[in-house]
Amino acid sequence: MHNIKIQYSWTKEPTTALEKTHLVTILKSIRAGFNANSLAQTFALLYEGAGLEGASSHSGRRTFLINLANKGTAIHILKTLAGHRSISTTAAYLYSSPSQLKAAVELV
């Protein structure tokens, strides 16, 4: 397991008790370094604070990969960015929308 340390700055002071609790939790994780679990918990707190229901670290990761794929990023680059060992794992994150399929057919 790897811990990642980052520098941070907070642009808005927390105003509610919940925001203050979230900030304390996030700052503790930042100072200690993230592991997979603490990073997922931190994303959950950030998404909750932003009012994004149902969002998770995994949905953010999937969205990141899909957005890059939709901009034409090669799957082997996506694989590396995601830290996957196999392209088949990366491929499972991606999907073909009806508009993407239509655009592909229109290339012919």
Side-chain angles (χ1 to χ4, degrees):
M1 192 179 306
H2 300 288
N3 280 351
I4 301 168
K5 293 193 177 193
I6 63 171
Q7 293 182 340
Y8 63 93
S9 62
W10 200 261
T11 57
K12 175 186 170 273
E13 287 297 318
T15 55
T16 67
L18 182 60
E19 286 177 348
K20 290 176 185 177
T21 301
H22 286 183
L23 178 58
V24 168
T25 303
I26 291 167
L27 292 177
K28 283 180 181 177
S29 291
I30 290 171
R31 288 186 186 121
F34 291 103
N35 59 39
N37 188 41
S38 66
L39 188 58
Q41 290 174 354
T42 300
F43 269 102
L45 291 174
L46 292 171
Y47 289 145
E48 181 183 330
L52 300 173
E53 292 183 27
S56 67
S57 59
H58 194 260
S59 65
R61 180 179 170 88
R62 186 182 315 109
T63 299
F64 171 73
L65 292 174
I66 289 170
N67 286 340
L68 287 174
N70 289 342
K71 293 178 180 178
T73 304
I75 195 165
H76 71 279
I77 300 294
L78 298 174
K79 174 183 119 3
T80 302
L81 291 172
H84 295 153
R85 291 186 180 149
S86 168
I87 283 179
S88 62
T89 303
T90 307
Y93 278 71
L94 309 177
Y95 64 91
S96 300
S97 69
S99 61
Q100 290 171 315
L101 296 172
K102 180 181 177 191
V105 170
E106 290 174 352
L107 291 173
V108 177

